[in-house]
Amino acid sequence: MRMRQLLVKTLREAPAEAELTSHRLLLRAGLVVPLAAGLYCFTPLGWRVVRNIERIIREEMNASGALEVHLPALHPIELWEQSGRAALMGQTLFRLTDRKEREFALGPTHEEVISYLASRTIQSYRDLPVTLYQIQTKFRDEPRPRGGLIRLREFTMKDAYSFDTGWDTLDASYDAAFAAYQRIFRRAGVPVVPVAADSGAIGGKDSQEFVFLTDSGEDTILLCPGCGYAANAEKAEFVPPPPVPGEPAPAERVHTPGKRTIAEVAAFLGVEPRQTLKAVFYRADGKPVFVAIRGDLEVNEVKLKQRPRRARRRTDG
């Protein structure tokens, strides 16, 4: 196809409401056209990009041994009430009724439906393990859809679900999906960091997010440059190394000229950083609060823009 035959309209300047760089570039390149808050039309070029991404995902998921399915976006509300998540999802769940007054929901995710499919098709343990995945439209009534394609009310998701006979096969299925995700991001040229995450309303035993680091994000992850630990702030757990044994020394004033960091002070005094304390002052409920923190308890906080894909160990059926 010649360029003159292609339906594309670029913009010299992005609209003022487009705050993120990715959002501005999407609009200026003519890849998407906004319809309403959290709803976008994909132009021919934009849709070609989506299809290329889907192709990479399908190739890597198929290579991992997963099988593709296609599930309805419209769900009987009974499935959600049976799992208890109709109330848990709250206003995020789009609800509607048909002409017979039967209630339905537009799927924000597909655990309920994939479990229904598995219950009708998996006959014995000989059918396991099996991992099923799909690329399907999802619907979530986000309270504040923003950031271009980052948080939408209608969006495309690749979701995968494994069914296993025990913990060993569950771990193997999880590792296969994790490796597939790493290959997907590598081929797409997206640098991501896997971090421990909270499973939230979806549930599960363990959860990891692949995050793209940026200063324009709303979430916070904690990174330890020493041991490589990485976790979302909602999930982060910390087990400090044991203190150095010994008898308390008498209190005395010690001058540390020119020493500005815990590492510098510890080296100057000939002690380990975990033998020091640093004073931190906060304000809580309008009052100053003094906190003493062990000198070696330092992490780096990094803002992130999006959660491109999540890998999760499933334990709920």
Side-chain angles (χ1 to χ4, degrees):
M1 177 182 292
R2 298 181 180 274
M3 192 67 183
R4 61 182 175 82
Q5 297 175 291
L6 189 62
L7 178 65
V8 59
K9 180 181 180 182
T10 59
L11 301 178
R12 187 179 299 273
E13 297 292 339
E17 64 270 15
E19 301 175 0
L20 301 181
T21 301
S22 59
H23 191 192
R24 292 195 296 267
L25 292 176
L26 281 168
L27 296 174
R28 290 190 60 193
L31 300 181
V32 296
V33 175
L35 177 64
L39 301 174
Y40 285 87
C41 304
F42 285 87
T43 65
L45 275 180
W47 192 240
R48 181 174 295 183
V49 173
V50 172
R51 288 305 190 191
N52 284 335
I53 295 173
E54 291 182 357
R55 176 180 53 80
I56 293 174
I57 292 173
R58 283 191 171 94
E59 289 175 357
E60 296 301 339
M61 291 304 298
N62 292 343
S64 74
L67 304 173
E68 185 174 7
V69 297
H70 186 77
L71 305 174
L74 188 64
H75 306 169
I77 196 62
E78 293 84 3
L79 287 178
W80 287 84
E81 292 173 342
Q82 197 174 42
S83 68
R85 295 205 301 172
L88 190 61
M89 295 296 292
Q91 294 182 333
T92 303
L93 194 65
F94 277 107
R95 295 170 178 258
L96 65 158
T97 56
D98 64 9
R99 66 183 67 193
K100 297 182 179 179
E101 300 300 320
R102 185 182 180 187
E103 192 172 358
F104 290 83
L106 293 176
T109 183
H110 276 73
E111 282 81 7
E112 281 77 5
V113 178
I114 197 72
S115 297
Y116 176 87
L117 174 65
S119 70
R120 298 301 190 275
T121 55
I122 296 175
Q123 302 298 319
S124 77
Y125 70 92
R126 294 184 180 86
D127 298 326
L128 302 176
V130 63
T131 296
L132 305 176
Y133 81 95
Q134 67 165 348
I135 299 176
Q136 172 62 290
T137 303
K138 301 289 194 293
F139 301 87
R140 296 179 185 178
D141 193 358
E142 291 282 357
R144 196 164 58 95
R146 59 176 296 274
L149 304 182
I150 303 303
R151 180 182 291 126
L152 299 178
R153 304 170 78 185
E154 177 183 331
F155 58 97
T156 301
M157 177 193 287
K158 193 290 299 177
D159 44 331
Y161 311 89
S162 74
F163 298 87
D164 302 273
T165 56
W167 291 109
D168 291 342
T169 60
L170 174 62
D171 289 340
S173 298
Y174 181 91
D175 292 341
F178 188 92
Y181 289 177
Q182 288 181 310
R183 295 192 302 269
I184 289 168
F185 288 119
R186 191 181 306 117
R187 289 181 60 183
V190 179
V192 293
V193 178
V195 304
D198 184 9
S199 298
I202 295 178
K205 174 179 174 285
D206 297 324
S207 179
Q208 286 175 285
E209 294 174 343
F210 290 80
V211 299
F212 177 77
L213 304 180
T214 176
D215 291 330
S216 58
E218 296 181 343
D219 284 355
T220 299
I221 65 172
L222 306 179
L223 301 176
C224 175
C227 66
Y229 177 79
N232 189 292
E234 299 173 350
K235 178 65 175 180
E237 299 176 354
F238 184 75
V239 180
V244 176
E247 295 296 325
E252 61 177 311
R253 179 173 295 181
V254 179
H255 293 285
T256 57
K259 310 305 177 185
R260 299 180 179 275
T261 67
I262 288 292
E264 292 174 348
V265 172
F268 178 76
L269 298 177
V271 298
E272 296 184 34
R274 57 177 170 163
Q275 292 177 274
T276 68
L277 291 176
K278 53 186 176 182
V280 182
F281 293 88
Y282 296 98
R283 180 173 294 276
D285 298 329
K287 299 179 181 180
V289 177
F290 168 75
V291 179
I293 304 176
R294 233 172 68 176
D296 62 328
L297 307 188
E298 293 184 325
V299 293
N300 294 334
E301 292 189 3
V302 183
K303 293 295 183 179
L304 60 96
K305 175 170 62 178
Q306 61 180 332
R307 300 168 178 166
R309 194 75 61 200
R310 170 174 290 180
R312 178 179 295 106
R313 280 184 173 90
R314 306 298 308 169
T315 59
D316 47 351

